[in-house]
Amino acid sequence: MKLDRRITNLIITGFSGTGKSLVAKEVARGLNWDFLDTDDEIVKQTGKPIAEIFRQDGEARFRELERETIRKACQQKHTVIAIGGGAIVDPQNYELLAKTGLIVCLEAKPETIYERLFREAAHSPETEVRPLLANDNPLERIKQLKASRQPYYDNVDWTVHSDNLNVSQVAEEVIRAWRLLRLAHPHLNPLPSRERKLGSQLEANDDVACLVETATQGYPVFVGYGLLDKLGEKMKQAALSGTATVISDENVFSLYGSKVAGILKDAGFAVNSFVVPPGEETKSMDYVIKIYDFLVEHRVERDDIIIALGGGMVGDLAGFIAATFLRGMPWIQVPTSLVSMVDASIGGKVGINHPEGKNLIGAFYQPNLVLADCQTLATLPQRELTSGWAEVIKHSMILDKEFVRFLESNVNKLTKLEPELLTRAIARSAAIKSQVVSQDEKEREGKRTILNYGHTIAHGLETATRYKRFLHGEAVAIGMAGAAKLGQRLGLLPSAAVERQQALLQKFDLPTGFSGLDLTEITRAMELDKKTKERAIRWVLLQDIGKVIIRSDVPQDDVLAVIRELAEQ
Ligand SMILES: NC(=O)c1ccc[n+]([C@@H]2O[C@H](COP(=O)([O-])OP(=O)(O)OC[C@H]3O[C@@H](n4cnc5c(N)ncnc54)[C@H](O)[C@@H]3O)[C@@H](O)[C@H]2O)c1
Ligand SMILES: [Zn+2]
């Protein structure tokens, strides 16, 4: 079958006992899609178990009902559909399903199927698969029936052998296949992007700013004003349930803790909370252990949920807990600082600091969803807010000229947190970050490197001042000013563009230079920077506004000259 069609659904087929329904449910959960089982639909519609329909009305009637159910199911979008084991044999069904669905067959050897059905039957004597077993030689019957259907099972887009895998492993394989095929055949994706592009109106009922789609997890990033109220609803839509443990810092929890707890309780979640002191020192093993103890004491289980309510510090810490406790739990990012809304909450980097270095211990572990309520920025201290704009400007400078224009024309309203424009700016910035991390989840392919624009000098400044003098965004602003000047020196970037960036940073009240620092300490720190590969620094530079280039051949002298220039300001 050629993959020349647009896919709106995933179809899971296979013989009885291959776990179609459970797998489809798990896949839907992983992709944040809907789930539908055609057999269940038929049972719902007729009020009778499948076996009874066979017995009372005959197979022909069942196939008729099945055809009708499949026809309806094919009108869905973003749905994982489990179909009955015989459905695909019908050419009409096959044609309908194949038109817009990617068909995945779950395979298993007859012996495995026999064993699974036998076990299942033993556990629930009423199960409808019993007819398959109710004959003299059930294994032989399975072999025969399966062989007769095999040509149809072979005529699918992808096959997963399930003999030696459990349900979630099979589901992972299906998701992996979907992502792999989408990478290889980009046209497969029916909705080119749910990103809310700048300039397009805010759709009143659609708060999805973007989707992050990495190899391990796809999840939505919701951005909106006053969106906190919908947290419980969004979590339920993501098929989450159970106990939610809210991890937050004292500042944020005192402002939003009880509101969030109330929203979660109203949505039917049990709620725990663990509140830590604010500040970077809290992102440590000491607090990780305290939180583990709390979770153990409260008997938190694998399907329960961790909620990170706060800035990037809380997000990194809570995410690290979610990644490691019980080998991984579902978790939600509820970023409340500008830095975390547009940067830290997206991309799944979680971790804590080691006394010898920041973020030395961690993992890549994607959340199930991100929900950013821009209204919470009203209480963020001014300096933190300003610092956050540096990352927004960074995203615009590296990838989106139009967004630069948008920021330039709306500075005043944005810094005053005008709801609609603020929401648009955050949504766009978050979408840029999502787009980059979706292409390079684990920072292996170098595509994520472009996010380090302005960060080489920034890390030099932060290290030289032991992270005490600058907020991260402030250091990044100076770093971007430096990177632009460096680009200019290398003949890559016209001076007008350098000035344009300079002006934008300053309009947002961000620094573009520094004074009173020992320059050698900065350069030494830069050479020790962890993003340095074999001593050649990979510089992320601009070729134009909205266009980056990576260079590893930048002469030291030029770097020194630029740093001297920054120090004179
Ligand atoms: N994982 C990533 O990809 C990533 C990316 C960037 C930064 N980070 C990490 O994020 C952290 C920095 O994030 P940050 O700037 O959000 O710092 P932060 O979490 O320390 O928050 C800054 C301050 O603002 C307060 N605050 C947050 N939201 C508030 C609100 N709505 N109202 C009032 N006060 C509020 C916090 O209590 C804190 O005092 C660092 O630890 C950094 O390493 C991670
Ligand atoms: Zn940064």
Side-chain angles (χ1 to χ4, degrees):
M1 197 189 325
K2 264 177 57 190
L3 278 174
D4 54 2
R5 54 201 205 272
R6 299 203 142 204
I7 307 290
T8 54
N9 297 316
L10 279 178
I11 318 294
I12 311 289
T13 182
F15 201 78
S16 301
T18 50
K20 295 182 293 281
S21 195
L22 291 175
V23 168
K25 212 179 267 178
E26 188 97 6
V27 171
R29 191 171 152 162
L31 292 174
N32 242 316
W33 286 20
D34 293 328
F35 160 77
L36 192 151
D37 179 303
T38 57
D39 279 357
D40 286 355
E41 292 298 306
I42 295 170
V43 171
K44 241 188 269 165
Q45 193 196 324
T46 58
K48 297 186 209 175
I50 305 284
E52 203 175 311
I53 303 174
F54 265 80
R55 234 181 358 255
Q56 290 180 351
D57 312 312
E59 177 168 355
R61 173 66 189 140
F62 172 76
R63 295 293 168 206
E64 212 176 283
L65 288 166
E66 187 174 55
R67 257 198 301 276
E68 184 51 24
T69 313
I70 286 180
R71 196 185 57 74
K72 280 199 204 131
C74 286
Q75 290 163 3
Q76 304 286 326
K77 285 206 167 81
H78 283 113
T79 305
V80 185
I81 304 169
I83 59 171
I88 199 157
V89 172
D90 179 313
Q92 206 178 318
N93 287 344
Y94 176 82
E95 202 180 309
L96 256 177
L97 292 164
K99 219 177 202 167
T100 53
L102 184 91
I103 308 182
V104 179
C105 181
L106 307 186
E107 266 296 344
K109 292 184 188 126
E111 290 74 11
T112 312
I113 291 169
Y114 171 68
E115 201 184 294
R116 284 183 190 160
L117 294 184
F118 196 80
R119 225 184 309 136
E120 196 179 307
H123 281 114
S124 52
E126 292 311 312
T127 156
E128 69 207 41
V129 291
R130 282 179 79 195
L132 251 184
L133 301 178
N135 61 73
D136 290 346
N137 193 341
L139 179 58
E140 203 45 45
R141 173 78 188 119
I142 290 169
K143 279 186 183 165
Q144 277 170 8
L145 188 57
K146 186 165 184 292
S148 73
R149 290 182 184 168
Q150 203 58 41
Y152 304 94
Y153 292 146
D154 288 344
N155 193 24
V156 298
D157 298 300
W158 197 270
T159 302
V160 177
H161 290 270
S162 69
D163 298 82
N164 301 307
L165 303 177
N166 64 28
V167 169
S168 41
Q169 289 165 330
V170 176
E172 264 172 45
E173 277 298 296
V174 175
I175 293 175
R176 196 179 63 85
W178 168 235
R179 299 205 194 292
L180 199 67
L181 290 172
R182 275 199 32 196
L183 273 181
H185 307 274
H187 67 272
L188 282 181
N189 188 0
L191 301 178
S193 153
R194 283 202 224 166
E195 275 178 25
R196 184 188 287 155
K197 287 257 193 276
L198 256 190
S200 74
Q201 333 65 13
L202 291 175
E203 293 155 63
N205 295 317
D206 180 12
D207 333 278
V208 183
C210 48
L211 293 170
V212 183
E213 295 194 80
T214 66
T216 54
Q217 173 100 338
Y219 56 94
V221 177
F222 298 103
V223 178
Y225 203 83
L227 203 55
L228 223 39
D229 292 334
K230 290 195 190 162
L231 177 62
E233 188 189 310
K234 302 280 188 211
M235 284 169 56
K236 282 202 287 192
Q237 282 165 4
L240 295 168
S241 58
T243 300
T245 301
V246 178
I247 300 179
S248 189
D249 72 19
E250 285 155 8
N251 295 340
V252 178
F253 196 81
S254 66
L255 289 161
Y256 304 104
S258 56
K259 179 172 180 177
V260 166
I263 290 164
L264 293 171
K265 281 179 192 153
D266 286 351
F269 293 92
V271 184
N272 286 329
S273 51
F274 193 96
V275 183
V276 296
E280 197 57 27
E281 296 74 47
T282 302
K283 230 174 84 176
S284 64
M285 210 28 126
D286 283 355
Y287 277 96
V288 167
I289 289 166
K290 286 190 177 114
I291 299 171
Y292 287 155
D293 290 347
F294 176 87
L295 298 175
V296 171
E297 192 189 319
H298 286 76
R299 300 187 194 289
V300 165
E301 295 179 6
R302 239 194 116 178
D303 286 340
D304 290 332
I305 310 135
I306 297 285
I307 297 187
L309 172 68
M313 186 283 283
V314 164
D316 282 10
L317 174 69
F320 184 75
I321 298 285
T324 49
F325 192 70
L326 302 176
R327 294 199 184 82
M329 298 173 59
W331 75 296
I332 314 289
Q333 284 266 26
V334 185
T336 60
S337 73
L338 185 51
V339 166
S340 56
M341 287 181 192
V342 302
D343 188 359
S345 69
I346 301 165
K349 270 197 201 176
V350 298
I352 53 170
N353 302 324
H354 183 273
E356 291 301 314
K358 263 178 70 85
N359 300 322
L360 282 188
I361 303 157
F364 286 95
Y365 191 67
Q366 307 291 342
N368 294 57
L369 67 91
V370 180
L371 182 139
D373 181 350
C374 311
Q375 196 171 11
T376 58
L377 296 180
T379 52
L380 187 68
Q382 184 58 46
R383 195 173 161 205
E384 299 286 348
L385 188 63
T386 303
S387 167
W389 285 115
E391 300 284 1
V392 177
I393 295 173
K394 179 195 81 179
H395 288 151
S396 75
M397 285 293 160
I398 58 172
L399 282 173
D400 194 338
K401 198 169 185 166
E402 200 190 318
F403 188 31
V404 174
R405 245 177 258 132
F406 171 85
L407 295 173
E408 286 169 337
S409 11
N410 295 298
V411 182
N412 291 333
K413 287 185 181 151
L414 289 172
T415 48
K416 286 195 189 105
L417 306 181
E418 194 280 316
E420 197 198 318
L421 291 170
L422 179 68
T423 306
R424 268 213 256 172
I426 292 174
R428 183 64 201 139
S429 189
I432 294 173
K433 169 99 197 238
S434 304
Q435 191 188 324
V436 176
V437 298
S438 296
Q439 289 169 6
D440 182 14
E441 180 184 15
K442 301 204 169 161
E443 217 167 358
R444 297 240 167 85
E445 294 162 42
K447 291 188 185 130
R448 215 166 158 151
T449 311
I450 61 174
L451 296 171
N452 290 337
Y453 177 56
H455 280 58
T456 309
I457 294 177
H459 287 310
L461 289 169
E462 288 175 313
T463 312
T465 55
R466 285 163 198 78
Y467 291 90
K468 294 213 163 31
R469 175 158 159 191
F470 302 104
L471 288 184
H472 177 64
E474 295 166 350
V476 170
I478 302 170
M480 286 193 279
K485 285 177 196 293
L486 196 53
Q488 187 185 2
R489 283 185 83 87
L490 300 177
L492 294 167
L493 191 66
S495 61
V498 181
E499 280 150 28
R500 192 168 160 195
Q501 181 192 269
Q502 195 90 347
L504 185 59
L505 291 169
Q506 287 169 359
K507 275 195 206 163
F508 275 93
D509 235 0
L510 284 158
T512 51
F514 59 86
S515 58
L517 288 179
D518 180 353
L519 300 195
T520 48
E521 262 195 70
I522 300 171
T523 46
R524 197 180 317 131
M526 277 166 55
E527 277 162 352
L528 294 174
D529 183 81
K530 67 179 171 197
K531 286 170 185 90
T532 307
K533 234 187 199 167
E534 290 157 4
R535 296 192 67 79
I537 298 180
R538 297 184 81 204
W539 282 94
V540 184
L541 301 173
L542 293 187
Q543 270 180 307
D544 191 358
I545 302 283
K547 211 167 166 202
V548 270
I549 180 172
I550 295 175
R551 294 280 293 260
S552 309
D553 58 349
V554 176
Q556 278 294 60
D557 289 349
D558 288 307
V559 178
L560 284 172
V562 162
I563 293 192
R564 245 176 261 124
E565 242 184 275
L566 293 174
E568 281 159 14
Q569 308 221 336

